[in-house]
Amino acid sequence: MSKPVEKQEWFRVAEAFEASGLTQKEFSQHRGVRLSTLQSWVYRRDAEGGPGPYELSLRRPRGRG
């Protein structure tokens, strides 16, 4: 991505990385972005309270006593 990209688009890239199951290095190579740029946006997104890859649901399953 050689042109300036909107913040929301980078947040979507960070989300796609987290959902991919790839390492940051692998994802950046497949996506054609600099590793340091991906790392920066993943960090920024997490710092602003974006959902992280380790969130858990703590609700009880229905129908269990």
Side-chain angles (χ1 to χ4, degrees), residues 8-64:
Q8 290 297 335
E9 187 171 341
W10 273 110
F11 277 17
R12 286 191 293 271
V13 171
E15 289 173 354
F17 156 69
E18 291 173 349
S20 73
L22 299 172
T23 65
Q24 289 181 344
K25 184 175 181 179
E26 292 169 336
F27 185 87
S28 64
Q29 289 173 341
H30 285 280
R31 197 71 184 239
V33 298
R34 289 182 180 211
L35 175 59
S36 60
T37 303
L38 175 63
Q39 290 169 330
S40 174
W41 280 103
V42 169
Y43 175 82
R44 288 182 203 184
R45 183 175 169 273
D46 291 346
E48 290 189 18
Y54 305 110
E55 289 190 4
L56 300 174
S57 173
L58 300 178
R59 287 191 268 171
R60 286 186 193 179
R62 293 183 182 196
R64 295 194 180 204

